[in-house]
Amino acid sequence: HLQLVESGGGSVQAGGSLRISCAAAGDTLNRHCMAWSRQAPGKEREVVASIYTGSSDTYYADSVKGRFTISRAGNTLYLQMNFLKPEDTAMYSCGGILWPISVGGRVCSQLAYDNWGQGTQVTVSS
């Protein structure tokens, strides 16, 4: 069972960059769907990026495409966020699910993750 801990959030001005991290323990991330989601006050959780560690298939929500990059190194998941906007302000969390390589990673963004970490706050000021 994966335990996930996020870090690296902070405050930045619009147009700036941040890289947030998610350290995973409890399993080796070699056949997992991993996702970053965000939730702003009063809004529903939104999956912004996902990756399948068995193939590196990635997905990005339209709202972040071209600005955010998801990656994985060993048992750490990253989200590089560039050209940040005030509407990117939210609590960012990571989730992970063991997923068979025979199915592939194109559905990683649609899975019902149940192990979101405690999150790291990202605040973008205008």
Side-chain angles (χ1 to χ4, degrees), residues 68-109:
F68 289 12
T69 303
I70 189 171
S71 63
R72 187 263 304 195
N75 255 37
T76 302
L77 186 71
Y78 298 99
L79 187 67
Q80 176 68 44
M81 303 181 290
N82 299 327
F83 305 107
L84 282 161
K85 304 175 181 179
E87 51 263 44
D88 294 320
T89 295
M91 183 71 75
Y92 285 73
S93 302
C94 63
I97 294 178
L98 184 64
W99 195 249
I101 195 168
S102 58
V103 178
R106 284 174 289 181
V107 298
C108 287
S109 64

Side-chain angles (χ1 to χ4, degrees), residues 16-61:
S17 298
L18 274 177
R19 188 178 78 159
I20 57 178
S21 303
C22 170
D27 201 354
T28 301
L29 298 184
N30 54 11
R31 293 289 186 269
H32 287 75
C33 278
M34 302 296 296
W36 282 103
S37 70
R38 66 186 182 188
Q39 189 166 23
K43 294 190 176 181
E44 291 192 355
R45 184 184 298 276
E46 172 192 19
V47 172
V48 297
S50 68
I51 187 169
Y52 182 56
T53 61
S55 67
S56 296
D57 285 343
T58 57
Y59 156 88
Y60 297 96

